[in-house]
Amino acid sequence: MGLGSFAIGVGEFISMGLLPEISSSLSISIPQAGHTISAYALGVVIGAPLLAIFSTGRSRTRMLVVMMGLYAVANIASALAPNYESLLALRLLSGFPHGTFFGIASLVAASLAPAHMRTRAVAYVMLGLSIATLAGVPLATALGQWLGWRSAFVLVGVIALASALCIIKFVPNEPAQTGVRIAHELSMFSNRQVWITLGVGAIGFGGLFSIFSYVKPTLMSLAGLTEMGVPFVLALFGAGMVTGNIVGSHMADKDLLGTIKRCLIWSMVVCAAFALTASHLWLACVAVFCVGTVVVIGPAVQIRLMDVAGKAQTMAAAMNHSAFNFANAAGAFLGGVAIDAGLGFASTGWVGVILSAAGLAMFYWMIIDARRSEQIPGDTEVAS
């Protein structure tokens, strides 16, 4: 399942490093090539609820294989796209399995682990995404620059197929779910706790993306970072994600709600640190690593959703990744607004502080609402 997470991580971010090659090959502008990134993100948002409904009552193990099969086919087809319009459509389809795969994989991982290790199990699945950021995307980008951008998408498809085979061989087969109806999954949409929890991630996680989306031009313009140093900075961010997944998941298994709260506060601190140190290369590099560690909020929020979603487990878990794609889009958009307003590249850090603070406010709303509905018995001291 971690290998599938790795495939999705490479597939999601690979276009960012190959925009000039895609632009040249298809005779389109770089902004047009950038629309392939937006098409993928839109596919995640649309595909998560649709495929979650399709998965209702089916074996989760088999659905993981199906999701990886779809991901492989869509990415290999992307490599064969003859023109811009077909590539846009295929990138949209490539995003469809993303959220449902992560959602189902998280549920399966948590079910295979002891109760006190659920967050760690989910984090190990997510670790593939972090490793993709650390090593997979740079390697796939290098391959795409060497053999052409199409080869990078073929590589993603091959990794996805390998994941499907590994799931068949190593993940215990889970029988089809009985007594689960589509109405149960759709009940998520009337569950206020689920929506507020999704909001914590969709808003609070945006600070990380506000900084990461512009980290290259920020450090090149303010701190004198060279082109050769860019992979080092990106690797630092990936290393922070790996560290956050491993260390933070241990914390969350001991105190889930407390970890979410502390993570949002930590996000405020490190985003502010980036804004203050963006002109000092080495200090900014430390801040970039620390910003990467904020990723732990992902598996922590995933476990919280499992606790409050009731019978809508698959839908809530899948929608979590739609929420994080919203965070990606919102963080990048608001960071760009701040830069265009003349506030400077370092202002992306302050945007991150605001989004993290808003996520913390959502967290306290979640706690207050849960107290009223008695959904966190014995753990209400977390809000203090």
Side-chain angles (χ1 to χ4, degrees):
M1 291 186 290
L3 185 61
S5 171
F6 178 81
I8 289 177
V10 178
E12 180 177 14
F13 296 116
I14 189 58
S15 294
M16 297 177 184
L18 295 173
L19 291 182
E21 287 77 11
I22 295 173
S23 169
S24 175
S25 172
L26 299 179
S27 301
I28 57 177
S29 67
I30 287 183
Q32 281 181 303
H35 293 163
T36 62
I37 301 171
S38 302
Y40 181 96
L42 181 61
V44 177
V45 175
I46 297 173
L50 292 179
L51 291 180
I53 291 173
F54 174 76
S55 303
T56 302
R58 304 177 189 273
S59 165
R60 287 173 176 165
T61 315
R62 291 183 180 178
M63 288 309 303
L64 288 175
V65 176
V66 170
M67 293 301 115
M68 275 295 97
L70 290 174
Y71 201 72
V73 170
N75 276 278
I76 293 173
S78 296
L80 302 175
N83 52 48
Y84 172 61
E85 290 76 16
S86 60
L87 181 61
L88 272 184
L90 288 166
R91 294 318 293 157
L92 178 77
L93 291 175
S94 297
F96 268 48
H98 179 128
T100 307
F101 174 83
F102 273 118
I104 295 176
S106 298
L107 294 172
V108 172
S111 70
L112 294 174
H116 66 283
M117 295 180 64
R118 290 188 306 160
T119 312
R120 266 172 281 183
V122 173
Y124 291 153
V125 171
M126 303 288 190
L127 195 58
L129 186 61
S130 301
I131 295 174
T133 306
L134 177 63
V137 173
L139 290 174
T141 301
L143 178 68
Q145 292 171 340
W146 179 36
L147 297 178
W149 64 269
R150 299 177 189 274
S151 65
F153 287 116
V154 171
L155 175 63
V156 173
V158 170
I159 297 172
L161 286 175
S163 170
L165 293 174
C166 288
I167 291 170
I168 292 172
K169 183 172 178 60
F170 297 112
V171 178
N173 185 51
E174 181 180 296
Q177 304 169 67
T178 58
V180 180
R181 300 177 181 178
I182 292 177
H184 294 155
E185 296 293 347
L186 293 178
S187 67
M188 186 219 84
F189 294 99
S190 61
N191 187 326
R192 190 169 60 249
Q193 268 293 296
V194 169
W195 281 111
I196 299 173
T197 304
L198 287 172
V200 172
I203 298 173
F205 208 33
L208 178 148
F209 291 109
S210 173
I211 290 174
F212 182 60
S213 299
Y214 302 98
V215 67
K216 177 180 175 179
T218 298
L219 296 188
M220 290 185 71
S221 63
L222 298 182
L225 180 70
T226 64
E227 283 283 355
M228 292 182 62
V230 171
F232 172 75
V233 172
L234 297 180
L236 272 178
F237 181 82
M241 292 179 69
V242 171
T243 303
N245 258 316
I246 295 173
V247 176
S249 60
H250 282 72
M251 295 169 55
D253 276 326
K254 296 178 181 178
D255 180 8
L256 179 63
L257 296 178
T259 298
I260 295 174
K261 179 183 74 172
R262 287 188 288 270
C263 182
L264 291 166
I265 295 172
W266 172 246
S267 181
M268 293 171 60
V269 171
V270 298
C271 287
F274 180 81
L276 295 171
T277 62
S279 299
H280 307 279
L281 184 57
W282 293 108
L283 290 176
C285 286
V286 174
V288 167
F289 173 86
C290 293
V291 169
T293 63
V294 174
V295 76
V296 70
I297 197 173
V301 168
Q302 189 84 75
I303 293 297
R304 174 62 183 170
L305 284 170
M306 293 179 193
D307 290 342
V308 300
K311 294 182 178 180
Q313 290 289 310
T314 302
M315 180 67 76
M319 288 297 291
N320 187 35
H321 296 277
S322 292
F324 283 121
N325 269 267
F326 178 87
N328 188 345
F333 173 75
L334 293 173
V337 168
I339 294 170
D340 289 340
L343 300 178
F345 281 108
S347 64
T348 59
W350 298 120
V351 171
V353 173
I354 294 171
L355 288 172
S356 302
L360 186 63
M362 289 289 293
F363 170 82
Y364 279 107
W365 181 20
M366 180 187 77
I367 295 298
I368 293 170
D369 182 76
R371 281 176 171 173
R372 290 172 178 168
S373 56
E374 298 182 352
Q375 290 192 32
I376 50 171
D379 200 16
T380 54
E381 72 276 3
V382 71
S384 61

